[in-house]
Amino acid sequence: MTRRVGIGVLVTLVVAGLVTPVLAQKPARIGVLTPLSPPGDASAGQFIVRGAKMAADDVNARGGVLGGRKVELVIEDDSGTPEKGAAAFRKLATQDQVVAVIGQFHSSVMTAVQALAEQFQIPIFATQASARGITERHLTYTFRTHVIDPDRVRLWNQWIKERGFKRVALIAENTDYGVGVVEETRSLFKTMDVKAELKTIIFDRTSVDLTPQLLEIKSWNPDLVLNVGVGTPVYLIIKQAYDVGLFPAVPMLVSYDLPARPEYWKNLADKGTYLVFIAYYHPTMKLTARGEAMRKKYREQFNEDPVYGALNGYAQVLLLADALNAAKSDKGEDLVKGLLANKFEGWNATIGFTRGEGPYWQQWTPPMLFMQYTKPDMPFAEAKIVFPAEFKTADMVPAPKR
């Protein structure tokens, strides 16, 4: 066969669909931009990566995307800092040529990389970044499958009203998330007619000693403390509140699901008992077929229950694979259209994206649960749901005097 005839035969086979073009075999790369080192919540990022890897394996096992292209993850550490996050996003966009990015955990980093997502026309997903402004900006390439802070604050304000708390102290870090939650709580205290007094303290995220702030709170004599640290500061607040005699005599609510992680009791031992915290998943929840399969596989692989971040990272990679197939394209503009035009099976429900008002823009929200540990080393699966009423499995237990 001459060279000319050989090329002609190859072209004919390609047109006939009998040979897949070399270009079509390029992997579809998905970036996982998430905190994997301090000062970010590195543990959270590791769980997100676990879920994303499991999803990529599942997609590839069933044949990949876009007619046989493998999904390849490119994992980058943003360290929870906007500067490092922006640099990593540029690398993902220009060097790695990813089709989408997931894994965003810190609101300040997500806020910093959104403009880059618009510039490079690459869809980016907030996996646990919750600040109102993220979706309130109505950006084309920003999506989120996580709660937004107004809903988080609205729920704890309802709890404050129903429990009849009278003096609420809120201690928060000086990040977009912490400061945003403080502003949101002040605002919604007025519009929701919360009768309790509110004291707010904002601390530097890098602080290693919060004893003065916690003593100030103790002297104010609150009947509830809201802990709005992220990562290491959550533990610091609980430990030092215990040491100064503030907690657990005064109930404390942690603003997200960090206490659901296996390392919680290793870090706090008995000092973590009686804590109430917000979670978005409970091991007894009935999940979708996709979620149940992931949970079973995760338990077999890691000998523990998955946490929410792993489930959400898993679901985001799968829905992106589905969206790529629906769009029949890996171009950002087409992928956005595919995400908006279709429904996707998530870990506990069907996920759809609409362009709603305010922060409800390309947003899907999981349930929120207030959970409590009532004994040392209590497994997450045994923690009771104390609020809201539709999910409640037990009343909040006050700590005995010590």
Side-chain angles (χ1 to χ4, degrees):
M1 183 184 295
T2 66
R3 177 179 172 79
R4 177 172 298 178
V5 171
I7 292 174
V9 170
L10 179 60
V11 170
T12 301
L13 291 172
V14 168
V15 171
L18 299 177
V19 174
T20 304
V22 173
L23 183 62
Q25 297 306 312
K26 288 177 62 178
R29 294 194 177 104
I30 295 176
V32 184
L33 180 60
T34 201
L36 296 171
S37 62
D41 189 337
S43 177
Q46 289 163 4
F47 285 115
I48 290 169
V49 168
R50 275 187 184 181
K53 285 182 174 178
M54 291 177 66
D57 289 344
D58 286 354
V59 171
N60 291 333
R62 71 186 191 203
V65 296
L66 298 172
R69 292 170 62 181
K70 297 294 185 184
V71 167
E72 182 178 293
L73 300 182
V74 183
I75 298 166
E76 290 290 335
D77 176 16
D78 63 32
S79 297
T81 63
E83 298 79 10
K84 193 167 180 180
F89 191 97
R90 287 185 181 279
K91 173 185 174 293
L92 289 170
T94 59
Q95 180 176 320
D96 302 308
Q97 299 184 337
V98 298
V99 299
V101 176
I102 73 153
Q104 281 296 281
F105 183 85
H106 292 280
S107 293
S108 55
V109 184
M110 181 68 185
T111 301
V113 300
Q114 282 182 289
L116 295 173
E118 293 292 301
Q119 177 186 338
F120 291 105
Q121 298 186 331
I122 295 173
I124 183 167
F125 279 74
T127 306
Q128 276 194 251
S130 59
R132 168 197 283 267
I134 289 170
T135 44
E136 200 171 37
R137 297 183 181 92
H138 293 189
L139 299 179
T140 300
Y141 293 90
T142 289
F143 291 81
R144 174 161 53 188
T145 60
H146 184 53
V147 303
I148 55 175
D149 289 339
D151 290 342
R152 184 195 309 275
V153 172
R154 194 171 290 112
L155 194 62
W156 73 42
N157 280 357
Q158 290 173 0
W159 187 56
I160 289 167
K161 292 176 70 171
E162 291 185 22
R163 291 285 306 181
F165 292 114
K166 301 299 183 187
R167 293 172 69 82
V168 178
L170 192 165
I171 179 167
E173 61 179 36
N174 62 342
T175 59
D176 287 7
Y177 171 66
V179 173
V181 163
V182 168
E183 294 173 351
E184 204 77 56
T185 303
R186 286 174 177 159
S187 173
L188 288 179
F189 253 54
K190 296 176 182 175
T191 58
M192 294 178 68
D193 195 27
V194 181
K195 300 299 184 185
E197 294 181 66
L198 178 66
K199 179 182 181 63
T200 61
I201 291 180
I202 296 176
F203 63 89
D204 189 278
R205 177 190 191 186
T206 60
S207 297
V208 295
D209 184 6
L210 295 172
T211 302
Q213 292 91 335
L214 293 167
L215 285 171
E216 181 183 338
I217 289 173
K218 184 182 178 183
S219 67
W220 187 68
N221 196 28
D223 54 10
L224 175 66
V225 176
L226 301 177
N227 177 341
V228 188
V230 176
T232 301
V234 172
Y235 291 119
L236 186 64
I237 292 170
I238 298 171
K239 281 179 181 176
Q240 295 191 328
Y242 183 95
D243 292 341
V244 302
L246 176 62
F247 171 75
V250 176
M252 179 182 291
L253 173 71
V254 166
S255 69
Y256 74 108
D257 68 329
L258 173 145
R261 302 175 195 164
E263 75 267 18
Y264 175 77
W265 292 110
K266 294 177 183 174
N267 285 332
L268 290 171
D270 293 358
K271 295 181 180 180
T273 312
Y274 297 105
L275 184 82
V276 180
F277 58 99
I278 294 179
Y280 323 100
Y281 160 77
H282 189 277
T284 60
M285 287 173 67
K286 180 174 176 54
L287 308 183
T288 62
R290 183 170 276 182
E292 292 288 357
M294 186 276 191
R295 180 159 63 185
K296 180 175 183 293
K297 187 175 175 182
Y298 191 99
R299 286 169 173 165
E300 291 172 351
Q301 189 168 343
F302 299 105
N303 197 31
E304 62 189 37
D305 275 305
V307 297
Y308 167 74
L311 285 161
N312 213 16
Y314 178 85
Q316 288 181 343
V317 170
L318 286 189
L319 76 83
L320 276 169
D322 292 344
L324 284 163
N325 287 331
K328 296 181 172 60
S329 167
D330 64 0
K331 293 181 179 177
E333 182 181 359
D334 296 334
L335 189 50
V336 167
K337 291 177 182 175
L339 287 164
L340 291 172
N342 293 280
K343 301 289 185 183
F344 307 94
E345 184 179 345
W347 58 272
N348 79 321
T350 299
I351 295 174
F353 298 104
T354 60
R355 289 180 164 174
E357 296 181 356
Y360 300 97
W361 171 272
Q362 299 181 173
Q363 161 80 29
W364 179 83
T365 305
M368 278 187 284
L369 314 169
F370 286 19
M371 308 189 64
Q372 187 185 25
Y373 288 129
T374 55
K375 60 183 180 182
D377 294 316
M378 192 173 192
F380 175 50
E382 296 179 14
K384 303 300 182 186
I385 303 171
V386 298
F387 190 78
E390 61 266 34
F391 300 115
K392 188 175 175 180
T393 59
D395 290 327
M396 188 182 79
V397 177
K401 293 183 179 179
R402 63 179 172 115

